[in-house]
Amino acid sequence: MERPTNEAFQLAAQTAQLVPIQGRLTVWAGEVEVERRPDLLTRRHTAEQTLQTLQRHGPAWQAARAELLAVLTEAREATA
């Protein structure tokens, strides 16, 4: 978590723009939302476990990938 934050601050300093910091805060807020909500946390863990155990690019793997993206999107939208 520290490395992406440091990279965002370095990029912001190099470009003189706050966009990298705003992006990092969006990601961080989404992670906090997932951890705060048991429903999202369970869905994320299930999807991640599926992604790690199934054949890549199979139908179930693709469904788990879509579910993980849906969880992250829902979390980020909840913090917007």
Side-chain angles (χ1 to χ4, degrees):
M1 185 166 151
E2 190 174 322
R3 191 179 97 222
T5 301
N6 289 340
E7 290 172 356
F9 276 94
Q10 287 175 346
L11 186 57
Q14 291 170 355
T15 62
Q17 296 183 3
L18 292 177
V19 174
I21 296 170
Q22 291 168 329
R24 180 64 192 136
L25 288 174
T26 299
V27 170
W28 178 76
E31 288 299 313
V32 169
E33 184 69 9
V34 169
E35 293 293 327
R36 189 183 76 74
R37 290 183 43 191
D39 62 316
L40 291 180
L41 188 59
T42 299
R43 287 171 56 200
R44 180 176 74 180
H45 282 267
T46 301
E48 288 174 340
Q49 183 177 16
T50 301
L51 289 172
Q52 293 173 3
T53 58
L54 291 182
Q55 185 84 296
R56 189 173 201 154
H57 302 297
W61 189 90
Q62 292 288 347
R65 183 176 180 266
E67 174 65 1
L68 181 57
L69 291 173
V71 166
L72 297 175
T73 298
E74 184 177 337
R76 290 178 185 163
E77 287 176 353
T79 63

